[in-house]
Every structure is written in C-alpha cells, then in structure tokens.
C-alpha cells in the first residue's frame, strides 16, 4: 500500500484469496486516497467486514480512477452496504460493482437503491447470494425507474419471489433505456411451482403487448423458457428476422434478429 502512494503506472490490483482483512483494507484505502492510476481492484474472498469496507468507501469518495471493485464473498453485510452506498452517492467513476455473497439483505438493497437513484456511472452490478427478497427487489426496481446508466444486474441465488421478480422484469421492459437482468436463477420463485406458474401467467396476461429483445430474454431463466414453450407458438420466417408470438389472451411478442437461424442478436 505504501508503494501505491507513489506508483503511477500500476492500473490493476489482484488481492483475491489473500485474507487481507480489515487492517489490509484500511491500508489499501489510505493508498487509494492518493493513487490516481489504479482502475481495477479484486478483493474477493479477503475477509473484509463492514469495518473494512468503511475505510474503502471513504477512499472512494475521493478517488476518481477506480472503475471496477470486486468485493465478492466478503462479510460486509447491511452495514457495509450502507457505507458503500454512501460512497456511490458521491463517486462518479465506478462502473462495475461486485457485491455477490455478502449477505446485505433487503436493508442493504435499500441503501444501494437510494445510491443508484443518484449515481450516474455504475453500469453493472452483481448482487448474487445476498439474501435479497421481494422487499429488496422493490427498492431496486424503484431505483431502476430513475437510474439511466445501469445496464446489467445479476440477482442469482437470492430469495426473490414472484412479486419481486415480476416487478423487476416489468421495470426493465418498460424503462426507456435497455437493462438486462443477467440471471434470476436459484431464487425463491423457482422452488415454488405455483409461484413460477403465477409469474409466467403475469407475463402473458399484461394489459398491453410486451416487446422483448434478446437482451431481455437473457433474464428469462430456463424454466420460464420451458413454460413458454407450452403455449401456442407461431414461427414467422423471414429472410433477416424471425418473430415468436405467444398467444394466451393477450400477446407477448418476442422480436429477435437472427443470424444463421440459430444465433440471435438484440433487435
């Protein structure tokens, strides 16, 4: 860390699985207050708790070079999420955030949501395995209605049920700018058959047709895709594109631009 206060050429630091702990995080934070070249930092599995993230968060309020910080598999919890979120309200250089496996819960999701309503730079965030439920999903959905920079969110391995999943997808579909939910796998709705079926019916019984590009389809897990195949699907072959129309009272149009009939790109 002392060397980083002087060095101006190093742009990436990889300290994953080094167990630097809160003391190491404090020393690194002191360096980040001065260093202006480091852009990417990997601190995954580093035994950092809310105490350590507090030091790093204070540094991020000052630092303008770091764009990507990986904090996956640490122990920051809701309190750590609060400190991190406060930094994001000020920081405008961070573009990628990885807080997977940190048990931030619904309260942590609330703190992050409030920050994302203000932050202009974050484009991708990983929130896998954080014990986030429908309440946290609602907070984040409200933030997505306001935020215009976020493009990718990973919600895999949380406790999100039908309500939260539907709310998030609906916001993504209706938002003026494109956003992709990378994954909803291993969430609560997938472990409840009635819940899964209810969510699919929600997609198919909207008050108006929904237009989905292949970006949105990434967010539909394999189980949802299988359920959709159970409905009346009509293929409309064309030279440069193909359309899938799923009929169940109202119509959901899945518009894809296809290459070689197999590999699809966003329309």
């Amino acid at each position: 860390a002392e060397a980083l206060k002087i060095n101006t050429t190093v742009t990436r630091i990889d300290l994953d699985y080094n167990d630097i702990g809160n003391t190491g995080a404090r020393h690194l934070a002191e360096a980040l207050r001065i260093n202006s070249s480091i852009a990417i930092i990997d601190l995954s599995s580093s035994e950092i708790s809310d105490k350590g993230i507090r030091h790093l968060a204070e540094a991020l309020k000052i630092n303008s070079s770091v764009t990507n910080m990986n904090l996956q598999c640490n122990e920051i919890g809701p309190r750590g999420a609060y400190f991190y979120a406060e930094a994001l309200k000020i920081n405008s250089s961070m573009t990628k955030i990885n807080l997977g496996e940190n048990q931030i819960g619904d309260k942590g999701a609330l703190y992050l949501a409030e920050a994302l309503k203000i932050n202009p730079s974050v484009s991708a965030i990983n929130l896998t395995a954080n014990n986030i439920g429908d309440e946290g999903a609602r907070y984040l959905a409200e933030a997505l209605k306001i935020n215009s920079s976020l493009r990718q969110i990973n919600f895999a391995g949380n406790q999100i049920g039908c309500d939260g999943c539907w709310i998030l997808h609906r916001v993504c579909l209706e938002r003026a700018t494109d956003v992709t939910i990378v994954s909803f796998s291993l969430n609560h709705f997938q472990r409840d058959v009635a819940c899964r079926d209810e969510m699919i019916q929600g997609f198919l019984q909207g008050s108006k047709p929904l237009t989905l590009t292949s970006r949105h389809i990434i967010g539909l897990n394999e189980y949802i895709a299988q359920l959709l195949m159970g409905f009346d699907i009509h293929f409309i072959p064309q030279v440069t594109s193909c359309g899938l129309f799923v009929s169940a009272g109202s119509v959901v149009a899945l518009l894809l631009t296809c290459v070689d009939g197999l590999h699809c790109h966003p329309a």
Side-chain angles (χ1 to χ4, degrees):
E2 288 300 308
L4 293 176
K5 293 179 181 180
I6 303 172
N7 187 286
T8 59
T9 58
V10 174
T11 59
R12 177 170 184 149
I13 299 175
D14 190 342
L15 294 173
D16 63 321
Y17 292 96
N18 270 290
D19 296 340
I20 67 170
N22 295 327
T23 301
R26 176 170 59 82
H27 293 315
L28 180 59
E30 291 173 357
L32 291 177
R33 289 172 176 268
I34 301 172
N35 183 283
S36 60
S37 63
I38 297 171
I40 301 174
I41 304 175
D42 188 348
L43 296 173
S44 57
S45 301
S46 290
E47 299 292 332
I48 297 173
S49 72
D50 58 312
K51 295 179 180 178
I53 197 65
R54 186 172 191 173
H55 295 299
L56 292 168
E58 289 301 315
L60 288 176
K61 292 178 181 179
I62 301 171
N63 182 284
S64 60
S65 65
V66 176
T67 61
N68 184 341
M69 182 175 285
N70 183 355
L71 289 164
Q72 183 162 345
C73 204
N74 279 288
E75 304 164 356
I76 72 171
R79 183 175 169 82
Y82 169 78
F83 295 134
Y84 199 73
E86 288 300 297
L88 292 178
K89 291 179 181 179
I90 299 173
N91 182 288
S92 60
S93 63
M94 291 284 291
T95 59
K96 294 183 179 180
I97 296 173
N98 189 343
L99 294 177
E101 299 178 76
N102 271 285
Q103 296 302 303
I104 68 171
D106 289 336
K107 185 172 290 187
L110 170 61
Y111 297 141
L112 287 175
E114 292 302 309
L116 291 173
K117 290 178 181 179
I118 302 172
N119 182 281
S121 61
V122 175
S123 60
I125 185 168
N126 179 11
L127 295 174
T128 58
N130 267 298
N131 201 32
I132 297 172
D134 286 348
E135 185 179 0
R138 290 189 189 96
Y139 295 142
L140 291 163
E142 288 302 311
L144 285 173
K145 292 178 181 179
I146 300 172
N147 180 287
S148 61
S149 64
L150 198 58
R151 294 290 182 273
Q152 293 187 344
I153 313 176
N154 192 335
F155 284 113
N158 282 287
Q159 301 297 317
I160 300 173
C162 292
D163 290 344
C165 184
W166 171 243
I167 289 169
L168 282 165
H169 263 306
R170 191 77 188 185
V171 170
C172 290
L173 294 173
E174 294 180 348
R175 217 178 76 164
T177 53
D178 187 58
V179 62
T180 297
I181 293 179
V182 177
S183 178
F184 262 130
S185 64
L186 302 177
N187 267 280
H188 175 70
F189 76 87
Q190 291 178 302
R191 296 189 290 272
D192 186 328
V193 175
C195 181
R196 292 180 298 192
D197 292 345
E198 178 185 341
M199 193 181 75
I200 296 302
Q201 291 299 326
F203 276 105
L204 299 176
Q205 294 176 1
S207 59
K208 62 180 180 180
L210 299 177
T211 300
L212 309 178
T213 69
S214 58
R215 292 190 187 97
H216 298 125
I217 292 171
I218 295 174
L220 299 176
N221 61 77
E222 293 182 2
Y223 183 84
I224 295 177
Q226 291 170 5
L227 284 178
L228 287 175
M229 292 300 291
F231 290 93
D232 183 20
I233 299 178
H234 303 282
F235 292 88
I236 303 178
Q238 296 180 12
V239 175
T240 58
S241 64
C242 61
L244 299 178
F245 290 89
V246 184
S247 178
S250 62
V251 177
V252 177
L254 311 180
L255 304 177
L256 308 175
T257 299
C258 301
V259 178
D260 297 329
L262 294 173
H263 186 66
C264 295
H265 295 288

